[in-house]
Amino acid sequence: MIRKRTIFLRALCLLMALLLTIMLSACGSKDEQTAEPGPTQVPAGIPQATPVPTVAPTATPFPRVDAADYVLIWKNNTRIGMNYMVPTHWTESQVGERYSVFYEPVPDGETGFRVSFANKRKYKDPDSNTMRSELRKLLTSMSEVYTDFQHDDAISRDLSLVRFKGYSTYYTYTDEYGVTIKGFVIIATYNRRIYCMNFSGPEERFTEMMTVGKKILDSVSRVSSS
């Protein structure tokens, strides 16, 4: 009887121990499910993304061509009745029935050089007084457009245009960027037509660039059918 009781007590103890183990396991699983998440660990062997630094764009220097390196190209303009040479990298951006304008390319906010050619018909061959008057009228019209416009009072007869002795002078004005612009304008006449060339740009570069302007001036000729 005593032995049966002892066996019964041992079995009861083992059953109690088994139940306690099951209960502790269940509590541990619940705690693990409700625990605060810890830091996520990247598995070994998986590469991590590296932030790419932001690089500020680098300004590209604008290629300025020195006057000594200018290359000129022929333009045969039958529309305005004039042949001339202009720099290969300049842009023709204004054209009309009897005029054409070429600009030096420069960065935004700067003023470059420009050259224009024009031709108009008169009812009769203009004499010297008429030519001087035509040049002064041109200067007056420019003074109504440009700020602080000034011009030389003297009119020179030292240079030629379309192979004929012309009437020329220099002028200055202030452009929209506050830069002082210097220019040279010349007119000449042949067969009841008045031909004109106007060359201008920043005063600080004018002496250097006038070497280019002089080459352009020397190249200008008439189109015989104009």
Side-chain angles (χ1 to χ4, degrees):
M1 183 70 179
I2 296 174
R3 184 176 179 183
K4 288 182 179 180
R5 186 177 180 182
T6 301
I7 294 172
F8 174 77
L9 290 175
R10 287 180 178 177
L12 181 61
C13 288
L14 289 173
L15 179 61
M16 293 290 292
L18 179 60
L19 291 174
L20 181 62
T21 302
I22 294 173
M23 291 176 64
L24 288 176
S25 298
C27 292
S29 299
K30 183 176 182 181
D31 289 342
E32 289 176 0
Q33 292 173 2
T34 59
E36 292 294 329
T40 303
Q41 300 294 326
V42 178
I46 299 179
Q48 301 185 45
T50 303
V52 179
T54 302
V55 180
T58 303
T60 303
F62 195 89
R64 177 86 69 187
V65 179
D66 293 334
D69 297 327
Y70 265 51
V71 177
L72 305 184
I73 186 173
W74 275 105
K75 296 287 184 178
N76 301 312
N77 195 328
T78 57
R79 175 174 47 80
I80 65 173
M82 300 173 72
N83 301 321
Y84 41 76
M85 297 183 74
V86 293
T88 55
H89 65 291
W90 284 22
T91 303
E92 185 177 21
S93 57
Q94 285 187 13
V95 294
E97 182 181 357
R98 281 293 174 177
Y99 71 91
S100 184
V101 186
F102 292 83
Y103 290 92
E104 174 194 21
V106 293
D108 291 339
E110 291 189 22
T111 303
F113 275 77
R114 53 172 278 178
V115 62
S116 63
F117 307 93
N119 172 352
K120 74 174 183 178
R121 182 184 293 277
K122 301 294 286 186
Y123 291 109
K124 62 179 181 179
D125 288 325
D127 58 17
S128 179
N129 290 334
T130 301
M131 290 297 291
R132 291 175 185 275
S133 176
E134 287 286 336
L135 181 55
R136 291 192 177 97
K137 284 194 295 184
L138 173 59
L139 295 169
T140 298
S141 66
M142 294 173 68
S143 69
E144 296 171 352
V145 175
Y146 299 119
T147 303
D148 301 326
F149 185 86
Q150 298 180 4
H151 64 85
D152 292 347
D153 291 330
I155 295 177
S156 173
R157 297 294 312 277
D158 295 336
L159 299 172
S160 297
L161 179 67
V162 294
R163 308 292 190 266
F164 292 93
K165 190 173 290 292
Y167 300 77
S168 64
T169 191
Y170 292 87
Y171 61 84
T172 61
Y173 66 88
T174 303
D175 72 359
E176 64 269 31
Y177 304 113
V179 177
T180 300
I181 303 299
K182 185 171 182 178
F184 164 81
V185 60
I186 181 171
I187 62 174
T189 183
Y190 174 78
N191 192 25
R192 295 181 297 169
R193 285 196 178 277
I194 295 179
Y195 299 86
C196 178
M197 173 183 152
N198 196 345
F199 182 83
S200 63
E203 185 176 39
E204 63 180 5
R205 297 171 54 211
F206 188 82
T207 299
E208 173 193 6
M209 288 296 294
M210 193 56 189
T211 59
V212 176
K214 185 63 167 57
K215 291 178 181 179
I216 297 174
L217 174 64
D218 291 342
S219 73
V220 182
S221 63
R222 298 176 299 104
V223 173
S224 57
S225 60
S226 67

